[in-house]
Amino acid sequence: MNPKIAKALSIIAGVLFISALAVSIFSAISNAGFLWIGFFFSCAISFLGYPKLKGYAYSMMIFGSVTLALYFPQYFVEYNGFKFSALIVPLIQIIMFGMGTSMSIKDFLGVVKMPKGVLIGVLCQFTIMPFVGFALAKSSGFPPEIAAGMILIGCSPSGMASNVMSFLAKANLALSITVTSVTTLLAPFVTPFLMGWLAGEFVEINVLDMMFSIVKMVIIPIGAGLLFNYFLRGKAQWLDDLMPIISMAAIALILVVIVAAGRDSLLDIGPLLIVMVIFHNLIGYVLGYWASRLFRLDEKDCRTIAIEVGMQNGGLASGIAKEMGKIATVGLAPAVFGPWMNVTGSILASYWHKKPLDDSDS
């Protein structure tokens, strides 16, 4: 982007922020909708012109989209009787297909090449976040279905965003991709079991139905993506280039639909839910890192597992909530977790990128 345009947009974003803040304080935050929306989208576009901020552009776009859904939910719930929530599962399948096209068999060979790191990563993923989510749900005082959503995001595998953050953090990218791949393929079996065990007291969990739902949303499209990668990789370059963009747009649309559907509940408990989600995310990074240290992994692997544990597949969690028929309640915590983890993940990756590895770890 032209630096002059980026600078002009930055000035516009600053003016919009001051105006939105003033209207929110001296009038009512309900009157500042267009200002907040304009601020987030102006930031998102202007960040593309600054190398150090470019990584935050997508996060700002997500915040803008969520704000749009909060202020104008009526446009994102249904149209002429068609409920937009029906798009969530197909969008998850598109995202998983895109994940499959970026994978290959060698991504699973990491289990053989670095078994200790993969085992610790998978165990941390499916223990730390589910049990922290359960503890937060029990202590939150939230309505049962919203509390169950906190457990659901904890029981989900890591997603592709963790691979990007691991690369930026100078972590072990091969380990990150392998842990993401393994936890994703284990999700149809592990996630329903954990949900039945930990969330069963909050909502009714049909383990077999959830298992088949995850197979439909994960295994089948990833398998199709792997076949595409094997037979057609490089032969449809336009699709290779387009899939990451489609995936990002799909995630944004899923969040908008969930926030619009659950707007009233989110406004009622929003501040406390945000605090709980922040704590859940941050403790995932901390415990993931120090658990890896406890098992004497090197610095690169510790960074990797911290990011894998702290960053969940919010899209998949949203799809599960939709299949449960509880998108406006169980789906709220994943909808808040998704945008937040992208911000913290970017900040953590930037910090580690600047922090040199020990000579013994590099």
Side-chain angles (χ1 to χ4, degrees):
M1 174 182 286
N2 187 301
K4 291 183 178 179
I5 296 176
K7 186 176 180 179
L9 284 170
S10 300
I11 295 171
I12 292 171
V15 172
L16 287 170
F17 175 76
I18 294 170
S19 302
L21 200 60
V23 171
S24 300
I25 293 172
F26 297 109
S27 178
I29 195 169
S30 59
N31 296 328
F34 285 111
L35 295 171
W36 284 117
I37 293 165
F39 162 69
F40 285 122
F41 282 115
S42 295
C43 283
I45 299 171
S46 67
F47 282 5
L48 296 174
Y50 299 94
K52 292 184 177 180
L53 296 175
K54 194 172 182 178
Y56 299 99
Y58 180 63
S59 298
M60 297 305 290
M61 189 268 282
I62 290 291
F63 279 122
S65 300
V66 168
T67 305
L68 185 64
L70 281 172
Y71 277 100
F72 305 102
Q74 65 272 22
Y75 298 114
F76 305 104
V77 175
E78 63 176 88
Y79 179 74
N80 283 346
F82 175 77
K83 292 187 176 181
F84 291 126
S85 59
L87 297 173
I88 290 177
V89 170
L91 288 171
I92 295 296
Q93 291 171 323
I94 290 171
I95 293 168
M96 291 298 126
F97 174 79
M99 183 176 180
T101 63
S102 66
M103 294 164 58
S104 65
I105 300 302
K106 69 179 182 181
D107 294 331
F108 300 95
L109 295 179
V111 177
V112 177
K113 294 179 180 178
M114 20 184 197
K116 182 179 178 181
V118 174
L119 179 61
I120 292 169
V122 172
L123 287 175
C124 287
Q125 178 69 46
F126 285 129
T127 55
I128 291 172
M129 294 301 274
F131 287 104
V132 171
F134 174 75
L136 292 172
K138 289 286 283 186
S139 62
S140 67
F142 289 153
E145 291 186 0
I146 294 175
M150 299 194 65
I151 300 173
L152 175 58
I153 190 65
C155 295
S156 300
S158 52
M160 290 186 295
S162 63
N163 305 152
V164 176
M165 299 309 170
S166 291
F167 172 74
L168 296 175
K170 295 183 178 178
N172 188 336
L173 181 58
L175 176 60
S176 176
I177 292 171
T178 301
V179 170
T180 297
S181 303
V182 172
T183 56
T184 300
L185 293 183
L186 287 176
F189 313 101
V190 179
T191 298
F193 167 75
L194 289 172
M195 282 296 290
W197 180 23
L198 300 176
E201 67 179 270
F202 296 99
V203 292
E204 182 179 352
I205 302 294
N206 188 314
V207 174
L208 285 178
D209 283 353
M210 186 175 291
M211 186 181 297
F212 288 127
S213 294
I214 300 175
V215 168
K216 176 178 67 177
M217 289 187 288
V218 174
I219 302 300
I220 294 174
I222 283 183
L226 282 168
L227 290 174
F228 175 90
N229 189 18
Y230 182 78
F231 290 107
L232 297 172
R233 184 69 171 175
K235 296 179 181 178
Q237 190 61 46
W238 63 271
L239 186 59
D240 295 340
D241 295 338
L242 196 59
M243 278 312 302
I245 298 172
I246 292 174
S247 295
M248 289 190 292
I251 291 170
L253 184 54
I254 289 169
L255 289 172
V256 166
V257 171
I258 295 171
V259 170
R263 177 182 180 271
D264 293 340
S265 296
L266 192 57
L267 291 179
D268 285 340
I269 61 162
L272 182 56
L273 180 61
I274 290 170
V275 169
M276 291 290 186
V277 163
I278 289 172
F279 187 75
H280 198 181
N281 173 233
L282 296 182
I283 203 169
Y285 294 138
V286 172
L287 293 184
Y289 182 87
W290 287 105
S292 305
R293 275 295 187 201
L294 183 66
F295 286 104
R296 301 183 181 279
L297 296 182
D298 63 31
E299 175 66 16
K300 288 183 73 171
D301 290 354
C302 289
R303 293 182 181 187
T304 305
I305 292 174
I307 291 171
E308 287 295 310
V309 172
M311 301 188 72
Q312 306 294 88
N313 192 332
L316 176 59
S318 301
I320 295 171
K322 168 62 176 64
E323 290 290 275
M324 293 172 66
K326 302 181 186 299
I327 191 65
T329 51
V330 177
L332 279 185
V336 176
F337 196 100
W340 174 254
M341 76 171 186
N342 280 294
V343 174
T344 58
S346 299
I347 293 171
L348 182 60
S350 179
Y351 168 75
W352 271 334
H353 182 82
K354 297 172 185 175
K355 185 179 180 182
L357 293 162
D358 296 336
D359 291 338
S360 59
D361 294 332
S362 58

